[in-house]
Amino acid sequence: MTQKNRIRKSLPPEALAIIAQLGSHIKIARKRRAITMEEMASRMFVTRKTLGRLENGDPGVSLAVFTSALWVLGLENQLKEIALPEQDKIGLYREQQLLPKRVRSTKIKDDLDF
Amino acid sequence: MTQKNRIRKSLPPEALAIIAQLGSHIKIARKRRAITMEEMASRMFVTRKTLGRLENGDPGVSLAVFTSALWVLGLENQLKEIALPEQDKIGLYREQQLLPKRVRSTKIKDDLDF
DNA sequence: ATCTAAGGGGTAATATATGACTCAAAAGAA
DNA sequence: TTCTTTTGAGTCATATATTACCCCTTAGAT
């Protein structure tokens, strides 16, 4: 039996919780702006039901739907901060670990004029 | 003709760009950690191809895949900041606008003991 | 109290995502 | 250079997302 969509059965509970929180935050933001699901869904070019899945924390909704929701709410800029390389402390640390112990001057072909 | 998946054809270019950036940031973070796509995909319980779609900015990948990637990279906490109600300036402003002009003391039935 | 609209949830049809497999190009190490 | 690994990409089968349509409960306004 070829198993499909392993991820749905294996999503760590914390990841599920994060997605659920995102959904409820989006719902709160929508209500604060006094927008109905119908109205917001149409601005997102999706159906009310799909927006509902997002707001209810369904992990299966696409990044398109998610991003579009933030877009309609005017919150899309926050997404740009995610996984920013210059703020990735773990990454920067690991990168240093990968640096060579010593550096040796490399012979550069000097006909590469620049 | 019933049009399906309108969102794919209607995603604002900026939203597409944001998703593409997220993907490339994830790719950078992975490389910094010296993890191959194969290795990372297996930790996410998806195939290398699906991870590739995420890293290449495919707007169709699910929140599950996206969140799982951040999870594996140890960056999932950043997601918790998205659309946080207490930091939603637009929302807080609009909420104030919705407040009633005046307040009138309401007759509270006092047999609601609490 | 009454009424209207908002939203939760079901179904069937269809588009798309995802997995499994494969080939090939490109990157990197020795 | 040569060899190995990584990764990009195509195909097919299947699971799932999304739509369009439906009904129904309930919250909120009057």
Coordinates of all heavy atoms in Angstrom, one line a residue, chain D residues 1-28:
Chain D
dT1 P 36.9 18.6 -17.5 OP1 36.7 19.3 -18.8 OP2 35.8 18.3 -16.6 O5' 37.7 17.3 -17.8 C5' 39.1 17.4 -17.5 C4' 39.6 16.1 -16.8 O4' 39.9 16.4 -15.4 C3' 38.5 15.0 -16.8 O3' 39.1 13.7 -17.0 C2' 37.9 15.1 -15.5 C1' 39.0 15.6 -14.6 N1 38.6 16.5 -13.5 C2 38.5 16.0 -12.2 O2 38.7 14.8 -12.0 N3 38.0 16.9 -11.3 C4 37.7 18.2 -11.5 O4 37.4 18.9 -10.5 C5 37.9 18.7 -12.8 C7 37.5 20.1 -13.1 C6 38.3 17.8 -13.7
dT2 P 38.1 12.4 -17.5 OP1 39.0 11.4 -18.1 OP2 36.9 12.9 -18.2 O5' 37.6 11.9 -16.1 C5' 38.5 11.4 -15.1 C4' 37.8 10.9 -13.9 O4' 37.5 12.0 -13.0 C3' 36.5 10.2 -14.1 O3' 36.4 9.1 -13.3 C2' 35.4 11.2 -13.8 C1' 36.1 12.0 -12.6 N1 35.7 13.4 -12.4 C2 35.6 13.8 -11.1 O2 35.9 13.1 -10.1 N3 35.2 15.1 -11.0 C4 34.9 16.0 -12.0 O4 34.5 17.1 -11.7 C5 35.0 15.5 -13.3 C7 34.6 16.3 -14.5 C6 35.4 14.2 -13.4
dC3 P 35.2 8.0 -13.4 OP1 35.7 6.7 -13.5 OP2 34.2 8.5 -14.4 O5' 34.5 8.1 -12.0 C5' 35.3 8.2 -10.8 C4' 34.5 8.6 -9.6 O4' 34.2 10.0 -9.7 C3' 33.1 7.9 -9.6 O3' 32.8 7.5 -8.2 C2' 32.1 9.0 -10.0 C1' 32.8 10.3 -9.5 N1 32.5 11.5 -10.3 C2 32.3 12.7 -9.6 O2 32.4 12.7 -8.4 N3 32.0 13.8 -10.4 C4 32.0 13.8 -11.7 N4 31.7 14.9 -12.4 C5 32.2 12.5 -12.4 C6 32.4 11.4 -11.7
dT4 P 31.5 6.6 -8.0 OP1 32.0 5.4 -7.2 OP2 30.8 6.4 -9.2 O5' 30.7 7.5 -7.0 C5' 31.4 8.2 -6.0 C4' 30.4 9.3 -5.4 O4' 30.4 10.4 -6.3 C3' 29.0 8.8 -5.2 O3' 28.6 9.1 -3.9 C2' 28.2 9.5 -6.3 C1' 29.0 10.8 -6.4 N1 28.9 11.4 -7.8 C2 28.8 12.8 -7.9 O2 28.8 13.5 -6.9 N3 28.7 13.3 -9.1 C4 28.7 12.6 -10.3 O4 28.6 13.1 -11.4 C5 28.8 11.2 -10.2 C7 28.8 10.3 -11.4 C6 28.9 10.6 -8.9
dT5 P 27.2 8.7 -3.3 OP1 27.4 8.0 -2.0 OP2 26.4 8.0 -4.4 O5' 26.5 10.1 -3.1 C5' 27.3 11.1 -2.6 C4' 26.6 12.5 -2.8 O4' 26.6 12.9 -4.2 C3' 25.1 12.4 -2.4 O3' 24.8 13.6 -1.7 C2' 24.4 12.4 -3.8 C1' 25.3 13.2 -4.6 N1 25.3 13.0 -6.1 C2 25.3 14.0 -7.0 O2 25.3 15.2 -6.6 N3 25.2 13.7 -8.3 C4 25.2 12.4 -8.8 O4 25.2 12.2 -10.0 C5 25.2 11.3 -7.9 C7 25.2 9.9 -8.3 C6 25.2 11.7 -6.5
dT6 P 23.5 13.8 -0.8 OP1 23.9 14.0 0.5 OP2 22.6 12.6 -1.1 O5' 22.9 15.1 -1.5 C5' 23.7 16.1 -1.8 C4' 23.1 17.0 -2.9 O4' 23.2 16.3 -4.2 C3' 21.6 17.3 -2.7 O3' 21.4 18.7 -2.7 C2' 20.9 16.6 -3.9 C1' 22.0 16.6 -4.9 N1 21.9 15.6 -6.0 C2 21.9 16.0 -7.3 O2 22.0 17.2 -7.6 N3 21.9 15.0 -8.2 C4 21.8 13.7 -8.0 O4 21.7 12.9 -8.9 C5 21.7 13.3 -6.6 C7 21.6 11.9 -6.2 C6 21.8 14.3 -5.7
dT7 P 20.0 19.3 -2.2 OP1 20.3 20.6 -1.6 OP2 19.3 18.3 -1.4 O5' 19.3 19.6 -3.6 C5' 20.0 20.3 -4.6 C4' 19.3 20.2 -5.9 O4' 19.5 18.9 -6.5 C3' 17.8 20.3 -5.9 O3' 17.4 21.2 -6.9 C2' 17.3 18.9 -6.1 C1' 18.4 18.5 -7.1 N1 18.4 17.0 -7.4 C2 18.5 16.6 -8.7 O2 18.6 17.4 -9.7 N3 18.6 15.3 -8.9 C4 18.5 14.3 -7.9 O4 18.6 13.1 -8.1 C5 18.4 14.8 -6.5 C7 18.3 13.9 -5.4 C6 18.3 16.1 -6.4
dG8 P 16.2 22.2 -6.8 OP1 16.7 23.5 -6.4 OP2 15.2 21.5 -6.0 O5' 15.7 22.3 -8.3 C5' 16.7 22.5 -9.3 C4' 16.2 21.9 -10.6 O4' 16.4 20.4 -10.7 C3' 14.7 22.1 -10.9 O3' 14.4 22.5 -12.2 C2' 14.1 20.7 -10.6 C1' 15.2 19.8 -11.1 N9 15.3 18.5 -10.4 C8 15.3 18.2 -9.1 N7 15.3 16.9 -8.8 C5 15.4 16.3 -10.1 C6 15.4 14.9 -10.4 O6 15.4 13.9 -9.7 N1 15.4 14.7 -11.8 C2 15.3 15.8 -12.8 N2 15.3 15.4 -14.0 N3 15.3 17.0 -12.4 C4 15.3 17.2 -11.1
dA9 P 13.0 23.1 -12.6 OP1 13.3 24.1 -13.6 OP2 12.2 23.4 -11.4 O5' 12.4 21.8 -13.4 C5' 13.2 21.1 -14.3 C4' 12.5 19.8 -14.7 O4' 12.8 18.8 -13.8 C3' 11.0 19.9 -14.8 O3' 10.5 19.3 -16.0 C2' 10.5 19.0 -13.6 C1' 11.7 18.0 -13.6 N9 11.8 17.2 -12.4 C8 11.9 17.7 -11.1 N7 12.0 16.8 -10.2 C5 12.0 15.6 -10.9 C6 12.1 14.2 -10.6 N6 12.2 13.8 -9.3 N1 12.1 13.3 -11.6 C2 12.0 13.7 -12.8 N3 11.9 15.0 -13.3 C4 11.9 15.9 -12.3
dG10 P 9.0 19.6 -16.5 OP1 9.1 20.4 -17.7 OP2 8.2 20.1 -15.3 O5' 8.5 18.2 -16.9 C5' 9.3 17.4 -17.9 C4' 8.7 16.0 -17.9 O4' 9.2 15.3 -16.8 C3' 7.2 15.9 -17.9 O3' 6.8 15.0 -18.9 C2' 6.9 15.4 -16.5 C1' 8.1 14.6 -16.1 N9 8.3 14.7 -14.7 C8 8.5 15.8 -13.9 N7 8.7 15.6 -12.7 C5 8.7 14.2 -12.6 C6 8.8 13.3 -11.5 O6 9.1 13.6 -10.3 N1 8.8 12.0 -11.8 C2 8.5 11.5 -13.1 N2 8.5 10.2 -13.3 N3 8.4 12.3 -14.2 C4 8.5 13.6 -13.8
dT11 P 5.2 14.9 -19.2 OP1 5.1 14.7 -20.7 OP2 4.5 15.9 -18.5 O5' 4.8 13.5 -18.5 C5' 5.7 12.4 -18.5 C4' 5.1 11.2 -17.9 O4' 5.5 11.1 -16.5 C3' 3.6 11.2 -17.9 O3' 3.1 9.9 -18.1 C2' 3.2 11.7 -16.5 C1' 4.4 11.1 -15.6 N1 4.7 11.8 -14.4 C2 5.0 11.1 -13.3 O2 4.9 9.9 -13.2 N3 5.3 11.9 -12.2 C4 5.3 13.2 -12.1 O4 5.6 13.8 -11.1 C5 5.0 13.9 -13.3 C7 5.0 15.4 -13.4 C6 4.7 13.2 -14.4
dC12 P 1.5 9.8 -18.6 OP1 1.5 9.0 -19.9 OP2 0.8 11.1 -18.5 O5' 0.9 8.8 -17.5 C5' 1.7 7.7 -17.0 C4' 1.2 7.3 -15.6 O4' 1.7 8.2 -14.6 C3' -0.3 7.4 -15.4 O3' -0.7 6.2 -14.8 C2' -0.6 8.6 -14.5 C1' 0.7 8.6 -13.7 N1 1.1 9.9 -13.1 C2 1.5 10.0 -11.8 O2 1.5 8.9 -11.1 N3 1.8 11.2 -11.2 C4 1.8 12.3 -12.0 N4 2.1 13.4 -11.4 C5 1.4 12.2 -13.4 C6 1.0 11.0 -13.9
dA13 P -2.3 5.8 -14.7 OP1 -2.5 4.5 -15.3 OP2 -3.1 7.0 -15.3 O5' -2.5 5.7 -13.2 C5' -1.6 5.0 -12.4 C4' -1.9 5.3 -10.9 O4' -1.3 6.5 -10.6 C3' -3.4 5.3 -10.5 O3' -3.5 4.6 -9.3 C2' -3.7 6.7 -10.4 C1' -2.3 7.3 -9.9 N9 -2.1 8.7 -10.3 C8 -2.3 9.3 -11.5 N7 -2.0 10.6 -11.5 C5 -1.6 10.8 -10.3 C6 -1.1 12.0 -9.7 N6 -1.0 13.2 -10.3 N1 -0.8 12.0 -8.4 C2 -0.9 10.8 -7.7 N3 -1.3 9.6 -8.2 C4 -1.6 9.7 -9.5
dT14 P -5.0 4.4 -8.8 OP1 -5.1 3.0 -8.1 OP2 -6.0 4.8 -9.8 O5' -5.1 5.4 -7.6 C5' -4.1 5.3 -6.5 C4' -4.2 6.5 -5.6 O4' -3.9 7.7 -6.4 C3' -5.6 6.8 -5.1 O3' -5.4 7.2 -3.7 C2' -6.1 8.0 -5.9 C1' -4.8 8.7 -6.0 N1 -4.7 9.8 -7.1 C2 -4.2 11.0 -6.7 O2 -3.7 11.2 -5.6 N3 -4.2 11.9 -7.8 C4 -4.7 11.7 -9.0 O4 -4.6 12.6 -9.9 C5 -5.3 10.4 -9.3 C7 -5.8 10.1 -10.6 C6 -5.3 9.5 -8.3
dA15 P -6.6 6.9 -2.6 OP1 -6.2 5.7 -1.9 OP2 -7.9 6.9 -3.3 O5' -6.4 8.1 -1.7 C5' -5.1 8.5 -1.2 C4' -5.1 9.9 -0.9 O4' -5.1 10.7 -2.2 C3' -6.2 10.5 -0.1 O3' -5.7 11.3 0.9 C2' -7.1 11.2 -1.1 C1' -6.1 11.7 -2.1 N9 -6.5 11.9 -3.5 C8 -7.2 11.0 -4.3 N7 -7.5 11.4 -5.5 C5 -7.0 12.7 -5.5 C6 -7.0 13.7 -6.5 N6 -7.5 13.5 -7.7 N1 -6.4 14.9 -6.2 C2 -5.9 15.0 -5.0 N3 -5.8 14.2 -3.9 C4 -6.4 13.0 -4.3
dT16 P -6.7 11.9 2.0 OP1 -5.9 11.9 3.3 OP2 -8.0 11.2 1.9 O5' -6.8 13.4 1.6 C5' -5.7 14.2 1.2 C4' -6.1 15.4 0.5 O4' -6.6 15.1 -0.8 C3' -7.2 16.2 1.2 O3' -6.6 17.5 1.5 C2' -8.3 16.3 0.2 C1' -7.5 16.1 -1.1 N1 -8.3 15.5 -2.3 C2 -8.4 16.3 -3.4 O2 -7.9 17.4 -3.6 N3 -9.1 15.7 -4.4 C4 -9.8 14.5 -4.4 O4 -10.4 14.1 -5.3 C5 -9.7 13.8 -3.1 C7 -10.3 12.4 -3.0 C6 -9.0 14.3 -2.1
dA17 P -7.5 18.6 2.2 OP1 -6.7 19.3 3.2 OP2 -8.9 18.1 2.5 O5' -7.7 19.7 1.0 C5' -6.6 20.0 0.2 C4' -6.9 21.1 -0.8 O4' -7.6 20.5 -1.9 C3' -7.7 22.3 -0.3 O3' -7.3 23.4 -1.1 C2' -9.1 21.9 -0.6 C1' -9.0 21.1 -1.9 N9 -9.8 19.9 -2.0 C8 -10.1 19.0 -1.1 N7 -10.9 18.0 -1.5 C5 -11.2 18.4 -2.8 C6 -12.0 17.8 -3.8 N6 -12.7 16.6 -3.6 N1 -12.0 18.4 -5.0 C2 -11.3 19.5 -5.2 N3 -10.6 20.1 -4.4 C4 -10.5 19.5 -3.2
dT18 P -7.7 24.9 -0.7 OP1 -6.7 25.8 -1.1 OP2 -8.2 24.9 0.8 O5' -9.0 25.1 -1.6 C5' -8.9 25.2 -3.0 C4' -10.2 25.1 -3.7 O4' -10.8 23.8 -3.6 C3' -11.3 26.1 -3.1 O3' -11.5 27.1 -4.0 C2' -12.5 25.2 -3.0 C1' -12.1 23.9 -3.7 N1 -12.8 22.7 -3.3 C2 -13.5 21.9 -4.2 O2 -13.7 22.3 -5.3 N3 -14.1 20.8 -3.6 C4 -13.9 20.3 -2.3 O4 -14.4 19.3 -2.0 C5 -13.1 21.1 -1.5 C7 -12.9 20.7 0.0 C6 -12.6 22.3 -2.0
dT19 P -12.7 28.2 -3.8 OP1 -12.2 29.4 -4.4 OP2 -13.1 28.1 -2.4 O5' -13.8 27.5 -4.7 C5' -13.6 27.3 -6.1 C4' -14.8 26.6 -6.7 O4' -15.0 25.4 -6.0 C3' -16.1 27.4 -6.5 O3' -16.6 27.7 -7.8 C2' -17.0 26.5 -5.7 C1' -16.4 25.2 -5.9 N1 -16.6 24.2 -4.8 C2 -17.3 23.0 -4.9 O2 -17.8 22.8 -6.0 N3 -17.4 22.2 -3.8 C4 -16.8 22.5 -2.6 O4 -16.9 21.7 -1.7 C5 -16.1 23.7 -2.5 C7 -15.4 24.1 -1.2 C6 -16.0 24.5 -3.5
dA20 P -17.7 28.9 -8.0 OP1 -17.5 29.3 -9.4 OP2 -17.6 29.8 -6.9 O5' -19.1 28.1 -7.9 C5' -19.3 27.0 -8.8 C4' -20.6 26.3 -8.4 O4' -20.3 25.4 -7.3 C3' -21.7 27.2 -8.0 O3' -22.9 26.8 -8.7 C2' -21.9 27.0 -6.5 C1' -21.4 25.6 -6.3 N9 -20.8 25.2 -5.0 C8 -20.1 26.0 -4.2 N7 -19.7 25.5 -3.1 C5 -20.3 24.2 -3.1 C6 -20.3 23.1 -2.2 N6 -19.7 23.1 -1.1 N1 -21.0 22.0 -2.6 C2 -21.6 22.0 -3.8 N3 -21.7 22.9 -4.7 C4 -21.0 24.0 -4.3
dC21 P -24.3 27.6 -8.6 OP1 -24.9 27.5 -9.9 OP2 -24.0 29.0 -8.0 O5' -25.1 26.8 -7.5 C5' -25.4 25.4 -7.7 C4' -25.9 24.7 -6.5 O4' -24.9 24.6 -5.5 C3' -27.0 25.6 -5.8 O3' -28.3 25.0 -5.9 C2' -26.6 25.5 -4.3 C1' -25.5 24.5 -4.3 N1 -24.5 24.8 -3.2 C2 -24.2 23.8 -2.3 O2 -24.7 22.7 -2.4 N3 -23.3 24.1 -1.3 C4 -22.8 25.3 -1.2 N4 -22.0 25.5 -0.2 C5 -23.1 26.3 -2.1 C6 -23.9 26.0 -3.1
dC22 P -29.6 25.6 -5.2 OP1 -30.7 25.2 -6.0 OP2 -29.3 27.1 -5.0 O5' -29.6 24.9 -3.8 C5' -29.8 23.5 -3.7 C4' -29.6 23.0 -2.3 O4' -28.2 23.3 -2.0 C3' -30.4 23.7 -1.2 O3' -31.7 23.1 -1.1 C2' -29.5 23.4 0.0 C1' -28.1 23.2 -0.6 N1 -27.2 24.3 -0.1 C2 -26.5 24.0 1.1 O2 -26.6 23.0 1.7 N3 -25.6 25.0 1.5 C4 -25.5 26.1 0.8 N4 -24.6 27.0 1.3 C5 -26.2 26.4 -0.4 C6 -27.1 25.4 -0.8
dC23 P -32.8 23.9 -0.2 OP1 -34.1 23.3 -0.6 OP2 -32.5 25.3 -0.4 O5' -32.4 23.5 1.3 C5' -32.2 22.1 1.6 C4' -31.7 22.0 3.0 O4' -30.4 22.7 3.1 C3' -32.6 22.7 4.1 O3' -32.8 21.8 5.2 C2' -31.8 23.9 4.5 C1' -30.4 23.5 4.3 N1 -29.4 24.6 4.1 C2 -28.3 24.7 4.9 O2 -28.2 23.9 5.8 N3 -27.5 25.8 4.7 C4 -27.7 26.6 3.7 N4 -26.8 27.7 3.6 C5 -28.8 26.5 2.8 C6 -29.6 25.5 3.1
dC24 P -34.0 22.2 6.2 OP1 -34.7 21.0 6.4 OP2 -34.6 23.5 5.8 O5' -33.1 22.5 7.5 C5' -31.8 22.0 7.8 C4' -31.1 22.8 8.8 O4' -30.3 23.9 8.2 C3' -32.0 23.6 9.8 O3' -31.6 23.4 11.1 C2' -32.0 25.0 9.3 C1' -30.5 25.1 8.9 N1 -30.2 26.2 7.9 C2 -29.1 27.0 8.2 O2 -28.3 26.7 9.1 N3 -28.8 28.0 7.3 C4 -29.6 28.2 6.3 N4 -29.3 29.3 5.5 C5 -30.8 27.4 6.0 C6 -31.0 26.4 6.9
dT25 P -32.6 23.6 12.3 OP1 -32.9 22.2 12.9 OP2 -33.7 24.5 11.9 O5' -31.6 24.3 13.4 C5' -30.3 23.8 13.5 C4' -29.4 25.0 13.9 O4' -29.2 25.9 12.8 C3' -29.9 25.8 15.1 O3' -29.0 25.9 16.1 C2' -30.3 27.2 14.5 C1' -29.3 27.2 13.3 N1 -29.7 28.1 12.2 C2 -28.9 29.1 11.7 O2 -27.8 29.3 12.2 N3 -29.4 29.8 10.6 C4 -30.6 29.6 10.0 O4 -30.9 30.3 9.0 C5 -31.4 28.6 10.5 C7 -32.8 28.3 9.9 C6 -31.0 27.9 11.6
dT26 P -29.3 26.6 17.5 OP1 -28.5 26.0 18.5 OP2 -30.8 26.7 17.6 O5' -28.7 28.1 17.3 C5' -27.4 28.2 16.8 C4' -27.1 29.7 16.5 O4' -27.7 30.1 15.3 C3' -27.6 30.6 17.6 O3' -26.6 31.6 17.8 C2' -28.8 31.2 17.0 C1' -28.3 31.3 15.5 N1 -29.4 31.5 14.5 C2 -29.2 32.4 13.5 O2 -28.2 33.0 13.3 N3 -30.3 32.5 12.6 C4 -31.5 31.8 12.6 O4 -32.3 31.9 11.8 C5 -31.6 30.9 13.8 C7 -32.9 30.1 13.9 C6 -30.6 30.8 14.6
dA27 P -26.3 32.2 19.3 OP1 -25.4 31.4 20.0 OP2 -27.7 32.5 19.8 O5' -25.6 33.6 18.9 C5' -24.7 33.6 17.8 C4' -24.8 34.9 17.0 O4' -26.0 34.9 16.1 C3' -25.0 36.1 18.0 O3' -24.2 37.2 17.5 C2' -26.5 36.5 17.9 C1' -26.8 36.0 16.4 N9 -28.2 35.5 16.2 C8 -28.9 34.7 17.0 N7 -30.1 34.4 16.6 C5 -30.2 35.1 15.4 C6 -31.2 35.3 14.5 N6 -32.4 34.6 14.6 N1 -31.0 36.1 13.4 C2 -29.8 36.7 13.3 N3 -28.8 36.7 14.1 C4 -29.0 35.8 15.2
dG28 P -23.9 38.5 18.3 OP1 -22.5 38.8 18.2 OP2 -24.5 38.3 19.7 O5' -24.8 39.6 17.5 C5' -24.6 39.6 16.1 C4' -25.7 40.5 15.6 O4' -26.9 39.8 15.4 C3' -26.0 41.7 16.4 O3' -26.1 42.9 15.6 C2' -27.4 41.4 17.1 C1' -28.0 40.5 15.9 N9 -29.0 39.6 16.4 C8 -29.0 38.8 17.5 N7 -30.1 38.1 17.7 C5 -30.8 38.4 16.5 C6 -32.1 37.9 16.1 O6 -32.8 37.0 16.7 N1 -32.5 38.5 14.9 C2 -31.8 39.4 14.2 N2 -32.3 39.8 13.1 N3 -30.6 39.9 14.6 C4 -30.2 39.3 15.8

